[in-house]
Amino acid sequence: AATLPDQQPEHDASMLVALSRAYHWQRLLDTGVVDSGSDIARREGLHQTTVNELLRLTLLSPTLVNSILDGHQPKTLSLLWLKNNLPPSDWGEQHALFDAFDA
């Protein structure tokens, strides 16, 4: 989505925390520190479903991740929506989906 020059960023703290946790956990998986989402859940004292829902955030396109980090994500996009819905794996389809949020 195009950012209007006068549009002030609105950072969603819960989304920022979720993204940072997801990328940290993915790094632990990629480097072999942990073997699975179950290992992460045990270490963090979380339900495995929560870990898996957040790990899906690492599948978002880099452009969308940067929009969230910059505070320019769609206003109607929430962490709850991201946890409960699996965005398309194709980045172009993700952009079309998220562009439609505030349309």
Side-chain angles (χ1 to χ4, degrees), residues 13-70:
S14 62
M15 239 188 282
L16 294 175
V17 169
L19 274 172
S20 66
R21 291 175 94 184
Y23 277 94
H24 171 68
W25 294 340
Q26 188 61 54
R27 199 170 319 110
L28 294 178
L29 288 164
D30 291 345
T31 57
V33 172
V34 296
D35 293 323
S36 66
S38 298
D39 283 352
I40 295 167
R42 272 192 298 282
R43 287 172 169 237
E44 301 275 342
L46 298 169
H47 194 278
Q48 182 176 343
T49 304
T50 301
V51 172
N52 291 335
E53 287 170 349
L54 292 181
L55 278 170
R56 288 195 312 233
L57 296 176
T58 63
L59 303 176
L60 294 174
S61 85
T63 303
L64 292 171
V65 170
N66 284 332
S67 292
I68 293 168
L69 294 176
D70 292 342

